[in-house]
Amino acid sequence: MAAVMIGVDPHKGSHTAVAIDGTEEPLGELRVRASAWQAERLVAWAASWPERTWAVEGAGGLGHLLAQQLVAAGERVLDVQPKLGARVRLLATGASNKNDPNDARSVAIAALRSPARREVKADDHAAVLKVWSTRHRDLGRARNQVACRLHAVLCELVPGGISKEITAAQGTRVLESVHPSQAVQIARCELAAEFLADLRHLDAQLRDTRKKLTVAVRASGTTVTDVFGVGPVIAGTVIGDTGNVARFGSRDRFAAYNGTAPVEVSSGNRKIYRLSLRGNRRINHAIHMAAVTQIRHHHSDGRAYYDRKIAEGKTHKEALRCLKRRISDAIYARLQDDARRAAGAPEAAGPGGQPGNDSDSSATGSHPENRLFGQATPEPGATLRTATPRRRTIPPKPTSEKTRQNP
């Protein structure tokens, strides 16, 4: 345990640091402007505590640059989630006013006491993938916005507009078929022409970004793209947001991080698992797209797995969730293999003797008592149902004392 923990509350214009000892007593406080010398000033201020550790709130977000500067200076830096510092401030006794020094002290206490922390490492190739995958996602959203506005304008020029997904070529053909005669129609045609120009520009940027992302994924040497349905865009999103896979102790924890593992909402003798809306939604969406791709291709193993779940009586959404969990486990196995290969360690043989063959879902292959996050969906009974009615998750209220004693 570090003798001194220094919590940092980062902001755009300034950073506030508070140092505490093992008894959570404050030792010092410093506020520096966000500038090129911010890290140097902080390190010089903390020089009187040789055994020190820095705890930066949101080291993957607003405090990313400062955390990387401290790491480059040879300091040990921990990443503290903002919610941990908020919990410390909420449960604190005495004065707990919301200000930067109190926030920094809460971050230091959270890093000192909570096991949910991770050490910040210098940016590697995963940061490059995150940059281009984020760029690709932002361009996709901008293109959808422009396409929707072009749809709206064309609907005012042509009855019905374009019923399917619009492209620049389709929009050009529709616009050429319009012969405006009034001032308002001319203005709408000019607006549609500007939207078409924006759409072509965004399409060109998307193609260029996809090429850069493909080159970056290939340069990383990852095997995640070996999973059916996982291309450069999905691989870049998963690797970029996951970072160091070693921070996940098992595939169950990785599934909980990406939201493919259900959450338990049990009470008493009732064991209930519900769909998780937690976790990293970007990775969850990437896994969802991979699952949809597998279902669309009838020759894929994912489609065969999906058909087996449907034959067992599961609904489409339940079978899709099972497949997403299976893909999550397969991606986790690939990420582990990549990490071992990068470290120079031999690959671990999975089930069946194949390296990293860990694609079977723990939701269907482990005992319920040893399962950390529960099964993906409730298993069907011995007989298959002819229909798929909605399941009751809450048993009916007992009507007698006998049924209450023997449910």
Side-chain angles (χ1 to χ4, degrees):
M1 184 63 67
V4 175
M5 183 67 68
I6 305 176
V8 180
D9 181 32
H11 290 279
K12 292 182 179 180
S14 64
H15 308 298
T16 302
V18 172
I20 63 173
D21 56 14
T23 61
E24 303 178 5
E25 291 296 326
L27 302 176
E29 174 186 330
L30 178 67
R31 180 187 179 94
V32 298
R33 289 186 57 188
S35 62
W37 303 277
Q38 56 187 13
E40 296 180 7
R41 290 194 58 191
L42 288 172
V43 172
W45 166 73
S48 58
W49 303 298
E51 299 181 13
R52 61 181 179 269
T53 300
W54 300 82
V56 180
E57 183 180 38
L62 193 59
H64 176 263
L65 178 58
L66 177 61
Q68 290 298 319
Q69 289 177 336
L70 292 174
V71 170
E75 301 290 323
R76 182 170 181 260
V77 184
L78 301 178
D79 180 17
V80 179
Q81 299 179 12
K83 64 180 180 181
L84 295 180
R87 290 173 182 174
V88 171
R89 187 174 63 254
L90 179 65
L91 299 176
T93 58
S96 58
N97 296 328
K98 179 70 173 65
N99 53 50
D100 292 347
N102 284 344
D103 289 346
R105 182 172 179 269
S106 300
V107 171
I109 294 175
L112 194 65
R113 304 303 181 193
S114 174
R117 59 187 186 182
R118 65 182 183 91
E119 188 169 352
V120 178
K121 301 294 183 182
D123 285 338
D124 53 7
H125 205 79
V128 179
L129 297 179
K130 187 173 183 179
V131 167
W132 291 118
S133 62
T134 302
R135 172 62 174 169
H136 186 274
R137 182 169 58 252
D138 292 341
L139 287 174
R141 292 173 178 172
R143 188 196 183 280
N144 289 339
Q145 186 180 47
V146 172
C148 290
R149 292 178 176 176
L150 179 59
H151 261 296
V153 175
L154 292 179
C155 286
E156 295 178 345
L157 293 172
V158 179
I162 298 178
S163 59
K164 298 182 180 180
E165 183 178 356
I166 194 170
T167 62
Q170 289 176 337
T172 301
R173 288 194 297 268
V174 172
L175 195 60
E176 289 176 350
S177 64
V178 177
H179 303 286
S181 58
Q182 299 178 357
V184 63
Q185 292 180 343
I186 295 175
R188 286 169 180 165
C189 287
E190 292 176 352
L191 180 60
E194 292 185 4
F195 284 146
L196 281 173
D198 294 341
L199 197 62
R200 294 191 190 95
H201 181 63
L202 289 170
D203 287 338
Q205 288 182 310
L206 276 170
R207 287 192 298 268
D208 184 61
T209 304
R210 193 178 293 111
K211 290 179 182 178
K212 294 179 180 179
L213 191 55
T214 301
V215 172
V217 170
R218 188 180 298 113
S220 68
T222 182
T223 59
V224 174
T225 52
D226 293 342
V227 179
F228 192 94
V230 177
V233 176
I234 293 179
T237 301
V238 171
I239 298 174
D241 281 46
T242 299
N244 185 12
V245 71
R247 61 194 181 107
F248 303 106
S250 64
R251 59 186 181 182
D252 296 323
R253 296 189 180 276
F254 180 69
Y257 173 75
N258 59 47
T260 57
V263 293
E264 184 177 1
V265 288
S266 303
S267 177
N269 295 328
R270 295 181 293 129
K271 298 295 182 182
I272 303 173
Y273 300 94
R274 292 179 180 172
L275 175 66
S276 174
L277 298 179
R278 307 172 184 171
N280 190 304
R281 306 315 299 176
R282 292 184 295 272
I283 299 182
N284 187 279
H285 179 261
I287 295 176
H288 177 86
M289 297 306 297
V292 171
T293 302
Q294 292 190 9
I295 292 175
R296 288 179 178 176
H297 291 77
H298 294 270
H299 65 280
S300 66
D301 294 337
R303 178 55 187 261
Y305 179 82
Y306 171 82
D307 291 339
R308 288 200 305 270
K309 292 300 177 181
I310 293 295
E312 291 174 1
K314 296 187 182 297
T315 64
H316 162 72
K317 289 186 177 181
E318 290 172 344
L320 180 61
R321 292 167 191 166
C322 290
L323 179 58
K324 287 175 63 176
R325 175 59 191 270
R326 187 181 179 94
I327 294 174
S328 172
D329 294 341
I331 290 176
Y332 176 75
R334 297 291 183 177
L335 291 174
Q336 278 192 319
D337 291 344
D338 294 341
R340 281 191 290 265
R341 191 181 304 105
E347 295 184 1
Q354 298 297 326
N357 186 13
D358 193 23
S359 59
D360 288 338
S361 173
S362 63
T364 58
S366 60
H367 193 274
E369 296 298 331
N370 300 326
R371 192 157 48 228
L372 182 60
F373 296 101
Q375 61 189 24
T377 52
E379 291 294 334
T383 59
L384 298 181
R385 299 174 296 173
T386 56
T388 57
R390 187 178 182 87
R391 290 187 179 88
R392 292 181 61 91
T393 57
I394 302 178
K397 184 178 180 180
T399 57
S400 63
E401 185 66 26
K402 182 178 180 180
T403 59
R404 188 179 296 108
Q405 295 177 356
N406 301 301

